[in-house]
């Protein structure tokens, strides 16, 4: 059961890619790609914290829109924060750097399920399969998220950054691309958490 929920959970963060119109795209959901052993560890470049955040939301709110990405037939792009992305966020919120991934997750979870759900949905662009190739040609594009807000694509010297609503914390940079390439759902790893509001 936990594996099924984990699958649904991680799907919440989107994965896919754009291919030519004549090419058939697969329907593997993100839930089958981003979930690994699902354990906190010292690897800052995987997605344990996001997985646990999605699981927490789906446990509390099984009907959450976060679960949509378990359906690989639904087109979506997700910009998924790696575990290391949460450390500067928690430090900005609490003034203290978390000692571990679990501590970072607990700090994020303490914001409440509704807030966690809102932030997760802000990382998902529905109804679109955006490959890195397409993103690199989309400087200044405004992407509407599943949360309802927008993020802006910024391309400079071959690097894709995403501008969110918080002007103080550094904007996320895409550091892993085309996760789940060839499917309707695609994801790109980012090194910071996107924020739909100004933390002040």
């Amino acid at each position: 059961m936990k594996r099924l929920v984990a699958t649904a959970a991680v799907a919440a963060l989107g994965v896919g890619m754009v291919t030519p119109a004549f090419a058939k795209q697969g329907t593997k959901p993100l839930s089958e790609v981003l979930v690994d052993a699902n354990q906190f560890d010292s690897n800052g470049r995987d997605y344990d914290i996001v997985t646990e955040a999605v699981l927490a939301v789906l446990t509390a709110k099984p009907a959450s829109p976060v679960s949509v990405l378990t359906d690989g037939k639904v087109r979506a792009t997700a910009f998924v924060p790696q575990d290391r992305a949460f450390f500067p966020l928690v430090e900005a919120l609490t003034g203290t750097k978390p000692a571990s991934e679990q501590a970072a997750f607990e700090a994020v979870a303490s914001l409440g399920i509704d807030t966690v759900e809102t932030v997760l949905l802000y990382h998902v662009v529905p109804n679109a399969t955006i490959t890195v190739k397409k993103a690199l040609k989309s400087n200044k594009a405004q992407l509407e998220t599943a949360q309802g807000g927008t993020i802006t694509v910024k391309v400079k010297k071959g690097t894709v950054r995403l501008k969110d609503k918080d002007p103080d914390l550094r904007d996320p940079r895409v550091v892993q691309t085309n996760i789940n390439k060839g499917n309707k759902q695609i994801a790109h790893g980012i090194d910071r958490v996107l924020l739909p509001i100004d933390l002040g």
Side-chain angles (χ1 to χ4, degrees):
M1 178 66 177
K2 182 171 181 180
R3 177 66 183 175
L4 180 61
V5 176
T7 295
V10 171
L13 287 255
V15 175
M17 91 156 230
V18 172
T19 56
F22 56 81
K24 184 175 179 180
Q25 291 181 313
T27 56
K28 180 187 288 186
L30 269 185
S31 54
E32 294 183 15
V33 179
L34 294 178
V35 175
D36 53 16
N38 193 31
Q39 294 179 342
F40 295 124
D41 52 33
S42 58
N43 179 6
R45 288 175 165 76
D46 61 7
Y47 304 95
D48 302 315
I49 295 174
V50 161
T51 298
E52 290 299 325
V54 174
L55 283 170
V57 169
L58 292 181
T59 298
K61 303 172 73 171
S64 169
V66 167
S67 65
V68 170
L69 294 180
T70 59
D71 183 355
K73 296 177 183 177
V74 177
R75 218 173 265 289
T77 300
F79 296 98
V80 189
Q82 295 182 334
D83 292 338
R84 61 182 172 146
F86 289 89
F87 283 67
L89 172 62
V90 171
E91 188 167 4
L93 289 170
T94 67
T96 305
K97 184 175 180 180
S100 65
E101 288 183 2
Q102 183 165 355
F105 167 72
E106 289 171 358
V108 169
S110 72
L111 299 174
I113 287 296
D114 290 343
T115 298
V116 173
E117 178 186 41
T118 295
V119 172
L120 289 174
L121 291 173
Y122 190 60
H123 288 76
V124 179
V125 178
N127 307 313
T129 306
I130 305 169
T131 61
V132 69
K133 183 177 180 180
K134 186 172 181 180
L136 286 167
K137 296 177 181 178
S138 302
N139 189 38
K140 299 184 180 178
Q142 298 268 314
L143 304 177
E144 185 171 345
T145 71
Q147 177 266 347
T150 59
I151 52 179
T152 303
V153 178
K154 297 168 64 178
V155 181
K156 186 174 181 180
K157 296 182 179 179
T159 298
V160 177
R161 289 187 184 274
L162 303 168
K163 184 170 179 57
D164 61 13
K165 298 303 179 188
D166 189 304
D168 299 318
L169 296 179
R170 180 171 74 72
D171 291 327
R173 180 171 51 98
V174 172
V175 292
Q176 183 179 8
T177 63
N178 292 343
I179 303 166
N180 207 34
K181 184 176 180 178
N183 291 281
K184 290 183 178 181
Q185 294 186 352
I186 193 166
H188 308 290
I190 56 178
D191 67 348
R192 289 290 190 275
V193 178
L194 287 163
L195 297 170
I197 59 170
D198 181 355
L199 287 181

